[in-house]
Amino acid sequence: VSENLKTACISIVGSDNVIDHQDDLFAASADIWASGVAAELVICPASTQEVVELVKLASSHQKAVIPRGAGLSYSAGFVPDRPQCIILDLRRMDRIEHVDRDDLYVTVQTGCNWKTLHTVLKQTGLRTPQYGVASGAYSTIGGALSSSATFLGSARYGSLSENVLGVEVVLADGSVVATGSGTSTASTGFRRCDGPDMTGIFLDDSGAMGIKTSATLRLIPAPQAKEYLSFGYENLESLIKAQIAIGRHGVASEIMGLDQRRNQDLAAVGLDFLNGVGASLHIGVEGLDLEIVNRYLELIRSTALEHGGFELANTVPEMMIQGEDDDPFVDISPYLVGANGERYVPTNAIVPPSKALQALSITSEFLTEQRARMSKLGIFSSIITMSLKTDFLIDTYLYWHDQLTPVHREYMNKDSWNLWGNHPANIKAREAVEGMRHDLRDRYDALGASHAASGRFYPYSERLGPDEKKLLHQIKNTLDHEGIINPGSLGLSGTNRET
Ligand SMILES: Cc1cc2nc3c(=O)[nH]c(=O)nc-3n(C[C@H](O)[C@H](O)[C@H](O)COP(=O)(O)OP(=O)(O)OC[C@H]3O[C@@H](n4cnc5c(N)ncnc54)[C@H](O)[C@@H]3O)c2cc1C
């Protein structure tokens, strides 16, 4: 990198916030799955104005600019495809700017993590409808908005993107755009659609359209009562039928299914009641008071049992949703690797309920075909299902022993790292997993699946029809004429000239 560029970056953010050590650059340029080329610099801005200056500076040096949050994703959304780039690590932008208790919204900088936001809002008795992901002790609001992240509250409220009222975005030319009703100088950000929905262009975009610097999110009164239910099923097929029927009631906040492999792993760490259970369904239910919640619980229980379920202790949802001391955003160390320190990578597909069983069949057929190869290479799988309002998400995890990544190192506590951090590289299995993951993704796509976190792994522009593709390129070209913002993500190249 030129000394000129580095000095100019330092003059904007200070020397402590410009990273140029080769190991650190490599670490910050990789997610949990993919590593590519290392960025020339990683810069940590603290304000929108600093982002503006950095984008203008990068552009004048013909460098691409790649936004990232905590780096806890798996689809190469911020993994550079060229060395001539700088990464903006937005985690210093973690201020909660305004909580509006009258009009029920919060404006927060996008580098803020879920735990911080949730903790501050708790003191006000308010909450965002969808309120976090399992990595939320670290992962950011900006990462969630860019990758359709879902979990806490998602069975009832969908993804964060469905609950955002507006965003502030720095575009490739350094202009700062606010979307939603906050755009008008006389107004505030209380409404999403004040004319055409310009917010949507910047959501689930894998950071391809601009650098989101703040977001205004809808608030609701925090539910005063929350309870949990779990049910066992003979297999995933019967679980999915029950999951869809329960999802249709629209009263559960979280609905998550686990396959036998996951049940076995949980049984091994003390949840004996999951031993031998073919598939288990875990549900969170919340409401204004216990009376309302109890009515919801009865409705869910009768549907779950009608579909062949048997009730289990509710320890899993209590652990995952309620968390420790009412804090769901716990240490992620135990969840970063498999039960015996294996690396893993998930591949997701989101389908309508009518295709949920087909998505399962595709997965089962695929895993059956691969069984011999997987067993030879020590690869195994597990499946998680989730409800996103009426939509159905299936996540197929592949596990194998391998060297862990810099992201594991950053987030694993010392004990876990000492235990699992020294696996030798296992390129053969890793390459097999890579091939399998592509194959499975393509099979999901043939079913017409949508995906969370497209990044550089799931096809997005490639899946569009010719006219839609042309429109996408026109939008990108308008927002980022030189193609300097996160080139390669969403399948958009750096030059943007092609349609
Ligand atoms: C243990 C564990 C648990 C997880 N649990 C869940 C879960 O429950 N639900 C779920 O959906 N996912 C989950 N994930 C996946 C992932 O952590 C989430 O999707 C998370 O929201 C990613 O946020 P991040 O800050 O790490 O984003 P990053 O990985 O840093 O970035 C993700 C994408 O967003 C873009 N981006 C980030 N910030 C900005 C910005 N300000 N402006 C523009 N673009 C930006 C990046 O370019 C990239 O394309 C989990 C992962 C792990 C390891």
Side-chain angles (χ1 to χ4, degrees):
V1 64
S2 81
E3 277 305 311
N4 261 355
L5 176 60
K6 190 175 145 194
T7 310
C9 289
I10 290 174
S11 73
I12 297 170
V13 295
S15 58
D16 287 351
N17 298 305
V18 174
I19 295 162
D20 67 345
H21 189 279
Q22 202 52 39
D23 289 348
D24 299 333
L25 293 175
F26 178 72
S29 304
D31 68 10
I32 312 185
W33 167 245
S35 58
V37 186
E40 288 182 4
L41 290 173
V42 175
I43 327 268
C44 310
S47 68
T48 302
Q49 188 49 36
E50 288 180 5
V51 173
V52 168
E53 289 174 38
L54 290 166
V55 168
K56 285 184 177 167
L57 182 66
S59 168
S60 69
H61 282 74
Q62 286 84 48
K63 304 291 180 196
V65 183
I66 301 182
R68 63 158 276 173
L72 283 165
S73 45
Y74 308 88
S75 53
F78 62 87
V79 177
D81 64 353
R82 66 200 64 194
Q84 299 79 16
C85 70
I86 63 171
I87 286 181
L88 300 188
D89 177 335
L90 294 154
R91 283 176 290 179
R92 285 181 68 225
M93 297 190 60
D94 63 352
R95 239 174 340 104
I96 295 165
E97 294 179 328
H98 177 60
V99 181
D100 200 306
R101 298 180 192 218
D102 295 324
D103 296 337
L104 294 180
Y105 63 82
V106 56
T107 302
V108 57
Q109 286 186 311
T110 50
C112 182
N113 64 46
W114 282 106
K115 187 183 180 89
T116 306
L117 179 63
H118 193 61
T119 308
V120 168
L121 288 176
K122 217 171 176 181
Q123 294 154 16
T124 67
L126 299 169
R127 197 192 83 187
T128 55
Q130 192 271 341
Y131 64 103
V133 297
S135 56
Y138 306 99
S139 65
T140 64
I141 300 300
L145 287 170
S146 309
S147 60
S148 201
T150 48
F151 179 35
L152 296 167
S154 290
R156 189 151 180 188
Y157 299 105
S159 70
L160 180 63
S161 301
E162 292 172 69
N163 297 287
V164 59
L165 298 173
V167 286
E168 178 190 80
V169 190
V170 176
L171 301 183
D173 65 358
S175 51
V176 182
V177 169
T179 68
S181 59
T183 314
S184 151
T185 42
S187 189
T188 59
F190 72 104
R191 274 193 92 205
R192 164 90 169 247
C193 287
D194 179 31
D197 178 15
M198 294 211 279
T199 307
I201 293 168
F202 301 101
L203 302 178
D204 304 352
D205 69 334
S206 297
M209 297 302 180
I211 317 292
K212 288 181 278 292
T213 44
S214 77
T216 298
L217 311 174
R218 171 57 72 215
L219 293 176
I220 54 171
Q224 295 303 299
K226 185 137 190 172
E227 293 293 330
Y228 308 93
L229 287 172
S230 294
F231 300 93
Y233 290 87
E234 200 180 331
N235 52 39
L236 269 180
E237 192 177 326
S238 40
L239 177 142
I240 289 172
K241 288 179 187 160
Q243 174 174 348
I244 286 169
I246 292 167
R248 286 214 171 102
H249 293 312
V251 296
S253 327
E254 296 85 15
I255 310 179
M256 186 179 65
L258 305 179
D259 71 350
Q260 187 162 19
R261 173 85 213 200
R262 291 260 171 173
N263 292 338
Q264 226 174 283
D265 286 349
L266 288 166
V269 293
L271 306 189
D272 300 348
F273 59 89
L274 287 171
N275 222 339
V277 174
S280 61
L281 189 63
H282 306 281
I283 298 167
V285 184
E286 58 193 21
L288 198 58
D289 57 35
L290 208 50
E291 200 179 321
I292 292 173
V293 169
N294 279 335
R295 284 184 56 200
Y296 292 166
L297 291 177
E298 275 322 302
L299 180 64
I300 292 168
R301 183 176 281 118
S302 65
T303 308
L305 299 178
E306 267 165 35
H307 283 79
F310 47 95
E311 194 153 358
L312 298 168
N314 62 5
T315 323
V316 175
E318 263 189 4
M319 240 165 50
M320 294 205 63
I321 301 168
Q322 189 175 50
E324 286 159 22
D325 302 326
D326 238 358
D327 175 7
F329 304 112
V330 294
D331 174 17
I332 60 173
S333 286
Y335 308 113
L336 279 168
V337 289
N340 294 301
E342 300 90 349
R343 257 185 91 175
Y344 69 79
V345 65
T347 303
N348 72 66
I350 302 173
V351 295
S354 59
K355 291 189 173 176
L357 288 173
Q358 278 170 279
L360 176 66
S361 305
I362 285 173
T363 313
S364 309
E365 274 165 31
F366 172 75
L367 293 171
T368 307
E369 275 172 36
Q370 298 289 330
R371 190 176 293 148
R373 185 179 178 212
M374 288 169 68
S375 123
K376 195 167 152 217
L377 291 165
I379 301 167
F380 65 91
S381 65
S382 82
I383 296 172
I384 287 189
T385 66
M386 191 129 40
S387 298
L388 317 175
K389 292 208 232 170
T390 53
D391 299 343
F392 172 83
L393 180 144
I394 186 164
D395 235 341
T396 302
Y397 287 67
L398 295 173
Y399 298 77
W400 74 105
H401 275 297
D402 199 352
Q403 189 171 34
L404 299 182
T405 69
V407 184
H408 293 101
R409 168 137 228 171
E410 181 176 352
Y411 291 106
M412 275 167 95
N413 63 34
K414 221 169 147 197
D415 289 348
S416 302
W417 184 258
N418 287 341
L419 202 55
W420 308 121
N422 284 319
H423 281 301
N426 182 355
I427 307 289
K428 231 175 171 183
R430 196 186 308 163
E431 284 176 356
V433 167
E434 171 151 32
M436 287 173 64
R437 200 183 177 210
H438 279 85
D439 189 352
L440 183 58
R441 173 201 71 186
D442 294 346
R443 294 182 193 210
Y444 287 146
D445 284 345
L447 181 67
S450 161
H451 302 285
S454 297
R456 290 172 177 77
F457 174 69
Y458 298 101
Y460 173 66
S461 55
E462 298 87 339
R463 284 193 284 126
L464 299 178
D467 291 348
E468 292 78 11
K469 203 172 191 172
K470 186 170 161 199
L471 177 62
L472 177 74
H473 280 276
Q474 283 167 345
I475 292 170
K476 171 76 173 169
N477 204 25
T478 303
L479 299 173
D480 178 16
H481 184 65
E482 300 301 324
I484 65 160
I485 303 291
N486 206 2
S489 79
L490 289 192
L492 294 164
S493 79
T495 61
N496 273 317
R497 300 286 189 266
E498 81 276 32
T499 52

